Amino acid sequence: MIGVLVVDDDFYVAGINARYVSRVPGFRVVGRVHDAASAFDAVQAGGVDLILLDHYLPDESGLSLTRRLRREGPAVDVLMVTADNRTASVQEALRAGVLQYIVKPFTFEALRGKLEAYARLRGALRDTELDQERIDRLLGSLCAPAAAAPMPKGYTQRTAELIRHIVTRAGRPVSAHDVSEQARVSRSTAQRYLKYLEEEGRLHLTLKYGDSGRPEHYYSTV
């Protein structure tokens, strides 16, 4: 089993990423921390093969932590997960020794593809020698775009993107009622898509309790 340390300052996002990792065969979550100091200590304690590392941490950037681990820590691989998609940031990450770079928000299928490619590379590196064709194939699989996951039956990509766009544009948590009015779909349809997008890690769910005592569901972007 490949031991993965999930590092993200957002407790909710860290939980989603940990659940994603635990769903991929051959991988297990060995820890979940929210700052660079805790991540460094966890790696030093052992059992970590791969770090799912956010760039924006409260005490040190993910790239700075990566460089420090290269100098002082045991051998560990890094998959950077961040909202930072600037070219300079990607270049800096590669120079720091980041093996893979994935931009938030991402789906389970996208992360699974990266983890499976990493597992193949890790397995191949146990061999004494590799010919050029196999090296090219393995390194190419790390950079290949993830295949789009098929939508569940009864859902369409167009409607899902429309609803996510409405939530993003709102700039505040919105309810299924708010979304249904803007998307011109029934409230039940809006609720189904909002729940699907939340389960995929593309929206954040907040429960608010009113006078009735029943929680109201509000959604915002991750």
Side-chain angles (χ1 to χ4, degrees):
M1 296 287 283
I2 296 172
V4 181
L5 177 68
V6 176
V7 185
D8 199 294
D9 67 327
D10 188 312
F11 284 65
Y12 178 80
V13 172
I16 290 175
N17 291 347
R19 289 197 297 273
Y20 280 179
V21 171
S22 65
R23 290 169 59 187
V24 181
F27 290 82
R28 66 186 181 95
V29 177
V30 297
R32 192 169 70 188
V33 298
H34 311 288
D35 57 69
S38 299
F40 187 85
D41 290 344
V43 172
Q44 294 286 62
V48 178
D49 302 304
L50 175 69
I51 309 177
L52 237 62
L53 181 61
D54 187 18
H55 177 55
Y56 299 108
L57 298 173
D59 53 343
E60 184 180 2
S61 74
L63 289 179
S64 175
L65 173 61
T66 300
R67 295 191 187 96
R68 187 153 63 97
L69 286 169
R70 294 286 176 264
R71 294 192 306 267
E72 307 171 27
V76 64
D77 294 315
V78 176
L79 194 167
M80 185 72 70
V81 289
T82 176
D84 188 352
N85 61 355
R86 295 173 299 171
T87 301
S89 298
V90 177
Q91 290 176 330
E92 191 176 358
L94 294 175
R95 290 172 184 144
V98 170
L99 192 60
Q100 298 176 311
Y101 196 104
I102 183 168
V103 178
K104 298 178 180 178
F106 52 85
T107 64
F108 166 67
E109 293 297 333
L111 180 60
R112 184 177 70 176
K114 295 295 185 184
L115 292 178
E116 290 175 344
Y118 170 76
R120 288 193 295 271
L121 176 63
R122 184 180 174 87
L125 292 178
R126 295 193 186 101
D127 296 341
T128 304
E129 294 182 352
L130 295 171
D131 60 34
Q132 187 64 54
E133 182 180 354
R134 193 173 183 197
I135 292 171
D136 292 343
R137 186 167 63 250
L138 288 168
L139 294 181
S141 70
L142 290 176
C143 303
M151 296 291 292
K153 186 176 181 180
Y155 293 75
T156 67
Q157 189 67 41
R158 181 176 180 181
T159 303
E161 290 301 322
L162 170 62
I163 287 178
R164 186 174 184 278
H165 175 70
I166 289 171
V167 176
T168 302
R169 187 177 57 191
R172 58 177 177 81
V174 294
S175 66
H177 175 73
D178 299 328
V179 172
S180 67
E181 287 191 335
Q182 294 187 53
R184 297 184 180 179
V185 298
S186 69
R187 183 170 179 172
S188 62
T189 296
Q191 184 62 60
R192 282 195 305 112
Y193 275 89
L194 288 166
K195 186 175 186 298
Y196 164 74
L197 291 168
E198 188 267 332
E199 290 175 345
E200 285 291 302
R202 300 172 67 187
L203 293 180
H204 175 58
L205 169 64
T206 302
L207 299 179
K208 295 184 179 181
Y209 290 85
D211 296 335
S212 66
R214 297 181 61 185
E216 299 178 7
H217 294 65
Y218 285 85
Y219 296 84
S220 56
T221 51
V222 172

